[in-house]
Amino acid sequence: MTTATQVLERCAHLDRYSSDPRVLTRVHLSPEHRFANDRTAMWMQQAGLTTWQDAAGNQWGRREGATAGLPALVLGSHLDTVPDAGSFDGMLGVVMAIAVAERLRHVALPFALEVVGFSDEEGTRFGKALLGSQAVAGLWDEDWWALRDRSGTTLLTAFEEFGLDPRRVGEAVRRPDELVGYLEAHIEQGPRLEAADEALGFVTSIAGARRFRIAVLGEARHAGGTPYPRRRDALVGAGEVVVAIERLARESRCLATVGRLEVQPGAVNVIPGRVDLSLDLRAETDAERDAMWETIHAELTSICEGRRLRAEVVETHVAASACCAPWLQDAVVAGIRATGHDAPSGLWSPAGHDAMAMAEVTDIGMLFLRCHDGISHHPDENVLEDDVAVGLDAFEQTVLAVARAEA
Ligand code: GLV
Ligand code: MN
Ligand code: MN
């Protein structure tokens, strides 16, 4: 039986598949993605699953239920990372899912059991999150083929270089009638469970997100020869925008983050003529998130007008908020209760998850594990072995609760 120790060893093993030997960075359709898929497939096979990589680069495994061909309960998460990542965001959910499949290997279930390691949740390479799970949910958009990574490679070319046929991406789609539901175990990526001194929690809903690329356009000119009244400094304007975004979000129930800023021409003696900034916007409800964007957009326009600058906005990502299905919330609660914790906390997730995309085709449920100091998207991400042990028990019991509900 796969233990918590082995689960953590597997997460550590996946750290090896990184484009940078000093830190963990594994992006969509990279050689490291291939290695991670191959290793994950091997673990899946050891757990008695039949494996395949789908037409969007997601790694799958399946065992049949009481009879062959039944709809599947899917357990999974993602195998890609942010730059300089921790070892657990995504990967823990995949290796826990494999461990649960192994534990239930000889248990007859009224559904097939599948495990998936999604290929792209973070959007690190192409700036577009959830590419793997959106392909599965039938949400693929033909415009995405033209997305480029930082070296100019298009998503289309990256598919071909990985050995995937872009014309066949539709074959990754799963239909609602093939699925019983989707369950994801994930570190919380925030401090609430730790503050409550609880190892596990169940997720009620996942935040709606929107991402934008905002260009603030001014005029590049000589840093010595241009008096202040004649300057149209894009960076000073962008700085004001960044501070305004934080102020507006803090006054609301939304979270807004500028994570990337690129200054052109980027010379010490030239007034910045252009700044490109990213904006990541989240809220518990789509209405709150959209209202926040309207407010930010109005402030952006006003700041630019006041400084004789211009703003151009491109929306790069939108994901609707997703509710966990009440019956799967009940199953996760039953799973946690079976470990001796009678009153687990229900949390909404400000972080995005593949479950959001899967909610388009099937019911979803999520189990959260406490993580050290709430840290995530950072190499210090950590989880206690004891929490993984109780998490494995709870995840296994959750699947059995779904089996009882389906019987
Ligand atoms: C994914 O981790 C996200 O929430 O951005
Ligand atoms: Mn993440
Ligand atoms: Mn994640």
Side-chain angles (χ1 to χ4, degrees), residues 220-231 267-272:
R221 277 192 179 227
H222 198 290
T226 316
Y228 280 105
R230 301 190 61 161
R231 292 184 181 217
V268 288
N269 57 354
V270 183
I271 295 163

Side-chain angles (χ1 to χ4, degrees), residues 22 70 96 110 120 128 144-145 266 309 336 374:
R22 294 160 305 170
L70 290 173
M96 281 181 63
D120 173 78
K128 179 88 197 79
W144 296 346
W145 293 121
L309 303 168
I336 299 173

Side-chain angles (χ1 to χ4, degrees), residues 37-61:
N37 274 7
D38 289 350
R39 177 57 64 154
T40 303
M42 194 189 93
W43 292 328
M44 288 174 169
Q45 287 157 18
Q46 288 169 358
L49 306 178
T50 303
T51 59
W52 71 99
Q53 180 183 273
D54 74 12
N58 302 305
Q59 181 61 51
W60 292 84

Side-chain angles (χ1 to χ4, degrees), residues 78 80 82 89-90 121-122 186 189 351-352 376-377 381:
H78 58 98
D80 68 314
V82 294
D89 172 5
E121 188 274 346
E122 304 286 6
H186 205 287
Q189 306 183 280
S376 184
H377 286 185
E381 210 171 68

Side-chain angles (χ1 to χ4, degrees), residues 40-345:
T40 303
M42 194 189 93
W43 292 328
M44 288 174 169
Q45 287 157 18
Q46 288 169 358
L49 306 178
T50 303
T51 59
W52 71 99
Q53 180 183 273
D54 74 12
N58 302 305
Q59 181 61 51
W60 292 84
R62 174 181 170 106
R63 54 152 280 197
E64 296 300 335
T67 57
L70 290 173
L73 178 68
V74 180
L75 315 180
S77 193
H78 58 98
L79 291 168
D80 68 314
T81 76
V82 294
D84 196 3
S87 309
F88 304 104
D89 172 5
M91 289 70 76
L92 180 68
V94 178
V95 297
M96 281 181 63
I98 296 170
V100 166
E102 200 239 313
R103 287 169 175 227
L104 295 171
R105 184 173 189 157
H106 301 295
V107 176
L109 295 169
F111 40 71
L113 191 63
E114 295 189 10
V115 176
V116 60
F118 285 114
S119 59
D120 173 78
E121 188 274 346
E122 304 286 6
T124 305
R125 181 167 179 191
F126 292 101
K128 179 88 197 79
L130 301 168
L131 286 173
S133 43
Q134 292 199 89
V136 171
L139 301 172
W140 196 266
D141 181 336
E142 291 298 311
D143 290 347
W144 296 346
W145 293 121
L147 292 171
R148 286 180 190 276
D149 67 10
R150 283 186 148 184
S151 66
T153 304
T154 62
L155 180 58
L156 185 91
T157 303
F159 253 63
E160 287 166 343
E161 287 176 355
F162 194 74
L164 294 169
D165 182 348
R167 288 165 303 184
R168 299 180 67 173
V169 71
E171 293 175 16
V173 173
R174 302 297 300 270
R175 294 190 320 270
D177 61 307
E178 296 172 44
L179 303 170
V180 170
Y182 172 79
L183 291 173
E184 181 164 351
H186 205 287
I187 52 167
E188 182 204 334
Q189 306 183 280
R192 292 168 295 175
L193 286 173
E194 193 173 64
D197 196 20
E198 293 176 45
L200 305 174
F202 65 100
V203 177
T204 52
S205 69
I206 307 171
R210 288 175 78 174
R211 290 186 187 152
F212 300 89
R213 192 167 59 240
I214 300 173
V216 177
L217 304 162
E219 188 182 36
R221 277 192 179 227
H222 198 290
T226 316
Y228 280 105
R230 301 190 61 161
R231 292 184 181 217
R232 294 169 56 222
D233 186 325
L235 180 55
V236 179
E240 211 178 307
V241 170
V242 173
V243 173
I245 286 172
E246 194 210 31
R247 174 176 49 77
L248 294 168
R250 286 178 84 122
E251 289 165 359
S252 75
R253 296 197 325 136
C254 303
L255 295 151
T257 305
V258 176
R260 187 185 286 175
L261 212 59
E262 283 175 33
V263 182
Q264 305 289 345
V268 288
N269 57 354
V270 183
I271 295 163
R274 174 184 179 122
V275 175
D276 289 280
L277 57 98
S278 63
L279 171 63
D280 173 298
L281 196 54
R282 302 160 191 241
E284 187 170 3
T285 66
D286 295 347
E288 288 171 290
R289 176 203 64 186
D290 293 346
M292 182 81 270
W293 168 242
E294 293 306 321
T295 308
I296 288 175
H297 190 245
E299 188 73 6
L300 168 71
T301 307
S302 143
I303 290 170
C304 286
E305 278 172 9
R307 291 184 166 273
R308 296 183 302 119
L309 303 168
R310 204 159 55 75
E312 285 175 6
V313 174
V314 178
E315 183 159 16
T316 53
H317 171 68
V318 58
S321 59
C323 285
C324 293
W327 74 282
L328 287 177
Q329 291 187 44
D330 289 348
V332 177
V333 168
I336 299 173
R337 283 206 178 123
T339 67
H341 181 13
D342 282 341
S345 299

Side-chain angles (χ1 to χ4, degrees), residues 352-388:
H353 299 288
D354 294 295
M356 304 166 84
M358 292 303 284
E360 295 286 331
V361 274
T362 193
D363 289 343
I364 60 162
M366 287 194 70
L367 171 71
F368 266 178
L369 284 83
R370 161 170 61 188
C371 62
H372 169 67
D373 202 22
I375 302 176
S376 184
H377 286 185
H378 187 278
D380 289 348
E381 210 171 68
N382 212 348
V383 64
L384 294 171
E385 186 170 326
D386 284 351
D387 289 358
V388 175

